[in-house]
Amino acid sequence: MMYNNFLSEVKAAADFIRGKAGSFPQTAIVIGSGLGAFLNSVSASISLNYSDIPCFPASTVAGHKGALVIGLLEGRPLALWAGRKHLYEGAGVNQSLFSVYVMAELGVKILILTNAAGGVSNLLQAGDLMLIADHINLMFKNFQAAAQAGGKPCGVAGERQIYDAQLQQVARDAALREGIVLKEGIYLATCGPNYETKAEIQFMKFLGADAVGMSTAPEALMARQLGMRVLGISFISNSAVLPSDGKTAHEEVLANARLVEVKFSKLMTGIVKEIVSIT
Ligand code: HPA
């Protein structure tokens, strides 16, 4: 019953978006903290505030615009989600994953998840871009709650390859073509909202993590379950290893986003151009 309510809310949101946008792009990008400048690359766009979409949970975090932008990038249809609902905002798993369900309803095939992350590896510095090779999920949550409440089997239960190998190669090729250094590593997800202690960073290094953040893993898992192909890109906004210079960490994240704006946009454009040839 709860599950049916949830799905009808998803459907109401999807119907509203379809009504405004007409057809919906098959490729979508979730834009991480501070990276909203990329929205300016999209032309012929319409923008829907999350607060205007029925049943849609709005993000409350600074640096997140809270809008769905649908338009063209280099002539390719693209949907951009500027802002996400993090688990640490306290709304629960289903609310946090609402946009992923909406995308499935709207027929999205390829989902590019981007985020700001702290560099755990000594090889990563603020301003780097990192292709997510794989993730370690330390959120200890059941992201399939909604589906299970409906008694539905999970399409990809047991799957180990969450991030799409072909899309990863597209990202590497695009970086090379655009002359952008794209590092590669393991993203570790925590619920947050606190940043890590020094001891926790040591622990994460020991586990094999290269970067740490508070999003992406649930979305990637749910998008796979709902049949999408997933790519993940982290922007390293700060070193989790080095002490910051007295600013609070979230301010640091937003300030350092300016370091990558241009190359992030170039990389995303390069990836989207290339994606069309594999779909
Ligand atoms: N830790 C966790 N999440 C983050 C960080 C960090 O240092 N930077 C950006 N998101």
Side-chain angles (χ1 to χ4, degrees):
M1 191 58 189
M2 287 279 289
Y3 181 58
N4 288 339
N5 281 348
F6 178 74
L7 285 192
S8 52
E9 288 184 2
V10 167
K11 199 164 177 324
D15 286 346
F16 175 85
I17 293 166
R18 216 183 273 116
K20 295 281 179 194
S23 66
F24 197 81
Q26 294 196 345
T27 303
I29 304 181
V30 177
I31 301 191
S33 290
L35 298 172
F38 175 55
L39 294 173
N40 300 330
S41 315
V42 178
S43 61
S45 59
I46 64 158
S47 178
L48 304 173
N49 289 329
Y50 290 167
S51 53
D52 293 333
I53 303 173
C55 310
F56 204 92
S59 173
T60 55
V61 185
H64 285 276
K65 187 167 144 80
L68 167 63
V69 175
I70 303 160
L72 297 174
L73 182 67
E74 302 263 334
R76 276 85 169 173
L78 185 65
L80 296 169
W81 299 87
R84 49 159 62 92
K85 189 85 184 158
H86 301 83
L87 280 175
Y88 61 72
E89 293 172 65
V93 168
N94 292 349
Q95 293 301 300
S96 174
L97 292 172
F98 194 86
S99 61
V100 180
Y101 282 93
V102 169
M103 281 187 262
E105 181 73 27
L106 289 168
V108 170
K109 301 272 184 291
I110 292 182
L111 177 58
I112 305 176
L113 298 167
T114 72
N115 59 50
V120 171
S121 158
N122 294 335
L123 300 175
L124 291 172
Q125 280 141 18
D128 281 344
L129 294 175
M130 184 189 91
L131 174 65
I132 299 181
D134 205 346
H135 75 219
I136 297 172
N137 167 17
L138 288 195
M139 287 177 157
F140 305 112
K141 296 258 186 205
N142 174 8
F143 302 126
Q144 297 169 347
Q148 285 175 352
K152 280 203 162 184
C154 302
V156 290
E159 181 170 352
R160 294 187 193 282
Q161 182 82 33
I162 297 298
Y163 299 90
D164 189 281
Q166 198 180 6
L167 291 178
Q168 288 174 326
Q169 195 51 44
V170 163
R172 289 185 202 104
D173 292 345
L176 209 60
R177 229 184 10 249
E178 303 289 337
I180 293 164
V181 177
L182 179 61
K183 294 186 175 172
E184 194 157 333
I186 308 286
Y187 175 87
L188 185 149
T190 74
C191 281
N194 54 293
Y195 292 95
E196 300 67 38
T197 65
K198 283 184 191 159
E200 285 165 345
I201 292 297
Q202 278 309 115
F203 169 67
M204 289 171 184
K205 269 191 182 175
F206 177 75
L207 290 179
D210 296 295
V212 54
M214 304 172 194
S215 67
T216 302
E219 295 156 357
L221 289 164
M222 184 51 70
R224 280 303 304 139
Q225 186 185 321
L226 295 173
M228 289 172 234
R229 296 170 69 182
V230 177
L231 178 68
I233 308 275
S234 290
F235 129 62
I236 305 302
S237 58
N238 58 289
S239 168
V241 186
L242 301 172
S244 66
D245 57 2
K247 286 178 273 185
T248 65
H250 192 61
E251 286 163 1
E252 190 185 3
V253 169
L254 298 185
N256 285 339
R258 272 173 239 130
L259 297 176
V260 296
E261 261 167 23
V262 172
K263 68 177 173 179
F264 178 79
S265 293
K266 269 184 163 175
L267 177 64
M268 285 299 143
T269 306
I271 291 172
V272 170
K273 272 200 281 194
E274 188 70 18
I275 273 178
V276 177
S277 62
I278 67 164
T279 49

